[in-house]
Amino acid sequence: MKKRDYFPVEKEFRSKIVVSGPNRAGHRAHLRSLGLLDDDFNKPFIGIANSWNEMHPGHVHLKALAEEVKRGIIEAGGIPWEFNTIGICDGVTQGHIGMRYILPHRDLIADSIELTVEAQQLDGMVYICSCDKIVPAMLMAQVRLNLPSIMVTGGPMMPGVFQGKAVAIPDMREGVGKWVIGEYTDEQVKDLECSVCPGPGSCAMAGTANTMSCIAEMLGLSIPGCGTSHAIESKKRRIAKQSGREVVRLTKANSRPSDFVTYNSFENALILTSAMGGSSNASIHVPAIASEMGFNITLDDVERISKITPHITDLKPAGPNSFWDLEQAGGVPAIIKELLTLLHKDEKVATGLTVAEIANQAVNKNQEVIRTISNPVHTEGSYAVLRGNLAPNGCIVKQSGVDPAMMQHTGPARIFDSEAEAEKAIYDGRINKGDVIVIRYEGPKGGPGMPEMLVVTAALVGVGLGKSTAIVTDGRFSGGTRGPSIGHVAPEAAAGGPIAYVKEGDQIHIDIPNRKLELLVSDKELAVRKKEMPIKQREIKSPALRRYVKLVGDVSTGATLTNF
């Protein structure tokens, strides 16, 4: 008896392993219940990973973008399948136990997408996301899965307006300090609270969210112009629809991230964010993304590139310009145009354009917002990697946000074993000008989860100590931070790093121009302290965080999880 070729399906897409042949009738039956017709089984199945949720201003609008992506996919001949992953708001978790879950959820997001995509054998992917850890998480998944794909970032929030000036969320957090010292009245601080976040989008500043969205564009993993197009703009919806069309083209051509994302692409990304004055969190996320492709990006690379890259955009929180100003000036393409002589110009992006071609098509519409490299804000980029006996594996400071008077500083250590202790000391008036606040046991293992210290830095600026007092921590700083805030000290205290053995009153020397962070204590004294001062261990009740502590690596290599 001759076998019937029951429901033949072309084998050009990997999803056909799910729907092709008589033994897949049950699979097709499930999909027919969702509305698929016979000819749909021959079309590419395109997944849409969306981090939409209702408690996150950066994500609340992403459902609408997904609908535009779907329209583009269908018009180009694909079948869209949307699914969700988690996305936690850094802003809502600042200053309390919730912040300990933020960095760990980066890797969980990447894993959850991998599990979904591989289980269902999707052919191509669109990643829709916004905000601090979600964008790098999806970039990790994008390059790890190495499927034809495109990213659509949700876009910045419009700046708020307070007392006639553009404001963003750092102004609110610093405003609390101003209220504490009587500079703002109750009515003024309430007015600021109701004005600072006028609608959907990621925080309107050069924070981690917008930094990583621009990096996605520079890597070529999102369409040119996507990174700075704002959440409320119709341009963003058009980009979403165009991305839907583009991913079907990429899928039919079997064009994958590994076909155009190279080591040089990552160098370009570091040049871009150094020139922008981007968040220091990029020094964690870029190495983690690169490692998914087998590239080794280190703090030495961050330092080397920042040293030769001029800082050409003076963006909030350290500068006067908002991301809306940057968008109107021409966005990432216009920055690329000004940086072209420094960039690897022959690198390609997903759309097929080279970096040079993007630059040639771009227009810098405001050279006060995007300066030329011959007229920079600072001659060096935003990052400085410091080393010394207090940070043998390195640490980082966003030097573009440091007052010139604090680029070199020596002062007495004020020791705190948590962010909350330091915040209380600031508001109680127990911190003096010239002090060096040391916040330890806040690293990936010690925190656990390496929480951001934004509450402390904002408090310090708010009470008027931002230009005279430094912070040194094994925790992280938000992109909303400015001032002499030195973070990512490695090894961390919980891993036995020297920061665990600093005592109250020890002199700490900070020399940003010469890249030094030194505890002015002899090696002999440090050796004695290591024997006498036990490493503190926090009780961790959360199973998820206990697992994270066992797997997470040093922050100097991206705080990536152990691969067995």
Side-chain angles (χ1 to χ4, degrees), residues 16 61 78 182 297 342 390 394 431 439 499:
K16 301 318 165 233
H61 63 300
I297 298 291
L342 302 176
L390 193 52
I431 300 300
I439 308 174
I499 192 172

Side-chain angles (χ1 to χ4, degrees), residues 37-85:
L37 303 174
D38 282 359
D39 62 343
D40 289 333
F41 292 104
N42 277 312
K43 297 174 182 177
F45 284 11
I46 309 296
I48 303 172
N50 193 346
S51 52
W52 169 86
N53 65 75
E54 291 183 329
M55 198 180 174
H56 199 320
H59 292 243
V60 71
H61 63 300
L62 299 186
K63 261 191 175 181
L65 292 185
E67 292 306 311
E68 297 296 342
V69 169
K70 290 175 191 176
R71 289 188 181 97
I73 291 171
I74 292 168
E75 288 176 4
I79 301 294
W81 299 110
E82 183 183 2
F83 62 90
N84 268 84
T85 187

Side-chain angles (χ1 to χ4, degrees), residues 105-259:
H105 101 297
R106 179 192 73 175
D107 298 86
L108 183 60
I109 290 170
D111 289 349
S112 71
I113 294 172
E114 177 193 351
L115 294 172
T116 303
V117 173
E118 289 301 290
Q120 301 187 147
Q121 290 292 289
L122 297 170
D123 300 306
M125 284 295 300
V126 178
Y127 299 86
I128 304 179
C129 55
S130 184
C131 297
D132 291 16
K133 307 306 168 291
I134 302 98
V135 176
M138 289 204 182
L139 286 169
M140 289 167 68
Q142 190 172 3
V143 299
R144 178 193 300 178
L145 288 164
N146 196 33
L147 291 172
S149 56
I150 206 87
M151 177 173 281
V152 179
T153 50
M157 182 186 293
M158 292 295 292
V161 178
F162 173 68
Q163 296 181 342
K165 296 180 180 180
V167 289
I169 196 66
D171 297 288
M172 181 70 256
R173 302 193 190 284
E174 294 171 9
V176 174
K178 293 179 179 180
W179 172 77
V180 167
I181 63 175
E183 189 173 328
Y184 282 167
T185 65
D186 292 356
E187 293 76 17
Q188 286 174 321
V189 81
K190 178 68 179 295
D191 184 20
L192 177 59
E193 181 180 330
C194 294
S195 305
V196 74
C197 295
S202 50
C203 296
M205 59 180 181
T208 308
N210 293 327
T211 297
M212 295 309 302
S213 295
C214 292
I215 282 174
E217 186 177 332
M218 187 73 253
L219 289 172
L221 294 169
S222 62
I223 284 175
C226 184
T228 62
S229 61
H230 277 47
I232 65 166
E233 284 188 277
S234 62
K235 175 183 175 182
K236 180 64 75 178
R237 297 175 74 103
R238 295 194 298 273
I239 285 174
K241 186 175 182 180
Q242 182 186 353
S243 296
R245 291 178 177 177
E246 190 68 22
V247 74
V248 175
R249 182 192 69 79
L250 291 168
T251 303
K252 290 180 177 179
N254 196 29
S255 178
R256 301 164 182 260
S258 61
D259 293 329

